[in-house]
């Protein structure tokens, strides 16, 4: 499934915090994307890093797990419209997490994805061929969850095979393209 981040920051302004701490969970924005993975907290960012975890905010949070995130907005100057990043619970320890409304997230019925599937989606969405295709059918800089749902995806087995080929998320564009092309050519 693909959803838009649930946390609309101006609606929960009183629950936002600059620093992580007790009774707070990570709140992720596009500024937390770095090299294909989430880097949290980012203390120098202007955006908050955390949201209070309580009965009022819990409906806007998701359980910790492996998620693939995409930016909903890119600037015209950005080379890519589709910018995908992994949220890895091994890197950010928390029971729950908040995804701000400027993000889309891939999930399995509201929970995290299988690791290899998330890695495969990461490679597929960050590939040149998908980026070029997306630019052709979407002339704007906004990437909605609906836009992502309309993309044709390889089957789960192929995506997981792509994920198994990923040794790290810090691959060059050529390495990502090679993995994706290799697996798509077998279909």
């Amino acid at each position: 499934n693909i959803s838009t981040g649930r946390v609309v920051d101006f609606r929960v302004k009183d629950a936002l915090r600059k620093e992580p701490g007790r009774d707070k969970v990570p709140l992720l924005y596009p500024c937390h994307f770095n090299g294909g993975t989430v880097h949290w907290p980012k203390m120098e960012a202007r955006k908050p890093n955390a949201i209070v975890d309580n009965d009022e905010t819990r409906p806007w949070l998701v359980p910790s797990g492996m998620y693939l995130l995409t930016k909903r907005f890119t600037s015209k100057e950005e080379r890519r419209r589709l910018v995908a990043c992994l949220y890895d619970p091994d890197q950010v320890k928390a029971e729950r997490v908040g995804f701000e409304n400027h993000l889309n997230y891939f999930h399995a019925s509201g929970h995290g994805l299988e690791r290899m599937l998330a890695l495969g989606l990461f490679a597929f969405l960050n590939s040149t061929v998908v980026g070029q295709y997306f630019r052709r059918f979407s002339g704007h800089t906004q990437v909605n969850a609906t836009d992502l749902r309309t993309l044709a995806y390889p089957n789960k087995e192929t995506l997981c095979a792509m994920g198994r080929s990923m040794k790290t998320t810090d691959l060059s564009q050529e390495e990502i393209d090679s993995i994706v092309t290799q697996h798509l050519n077998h279909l």
Side-chain angles (χ1 to χ4, degrees):
N1 302 49
I2 306 162
S3 299
T4 300
R6 296 176 178 181
V7 178
V8 180
D9 56 8
F10 70 86
R11 291 190 179 140
V12 292
K13 190 180 265 186
D14 292 341
L16 304 180
R17 302 292 184 269
K18 179 77 174 161
E19 297 185 20
R22 189 168 166 229
D23 300 326
K24 298 175 196 104
V25 297
L27 175 59
L28 302 180
Y29 287 83
C31 68
H32 292 106
F33 284 27
N34 190 345
T37 58
V38 166
H39 288 246
W40 182 90
K42 193 169 187 178
M43 301 309 291
E44 69 278 7
R46 293 185 321 206
K47 298 292 186 183
N49 282 295
I51 185 170
V52 174
D53 182 7
N54 60 29
D55 291 340
E56 182 183 328
T57 61
R58 200 148 300 137
W60 313 124
L61 307 176
V62 297
S64 187
M66 190 80 165
Y67 294 94
L68 183 78
L69 310 174
T70 64
K71 290 183 180 182
R72 284 191 54 219
F73 301 96
T74 56
S75 68
K76 288 182 181 179
E77 295 78 30
E78 275 190 82
R79 175 175 70 89
R80 306 183 55 80
R81 286 289 174 260
L82 274 177
V83 179
C85 181
L86 288 170
Y87 174 80
D88 186 342
D90 293 341
Q91 303 297 318
V92 180
K93 303 289 186 196
E95 196 173 318
R96 283 177 275 287
V97 62
F99 299 133
E100 197 272 335
N101 193 248
H102 287 88
L103 299 176
N104 293 308
Y105 64 103
F106 288 69
H107 56 94
S109 300
H111 296 276
L113 300 168
E114 298 170 29
R115 183 171 293 276
M116 290 306 125
L117 178 58
L119 286 166
L121 282 166
F122 172 87
F124 181 72
L125 290 175
N126 282 317
S127 69
T128 299
V129 68
V130 172
Q132 289 172 342
Y133 174 78
F134 191 82
R135 272 187 182 268
R136 284 199 180 107
F137 93 76
S138 175
H140 51 81
T141 58
Q142 188 169 340
V143 179
N144 295 311
T146 303
D147 296 333
L148 294 169
R149 285 186 206 106
T150 61
L151 279 176
Y153 292 86
N155 62 36
K156 183 179 177 181
E157 292 76 26
T158 302
L159 288 168
C160 289
M162 287 181 197
R164 285 189 293 277
S165 297
M166 300 277 301
K167 303 302 178 215
T168 177
T169 57
D170 195 22
L171 297 176
S172 70
Q173 188 63 58
E174 293 76 24
E175 291 168 317
I176 290 172
D177 291 343
S178 175
I179 288 169
V180 171
T181 301
Q182 171 192 349
H183 291 285
L184 291 182
N185 285 338
H186 292 302
L187 293 178

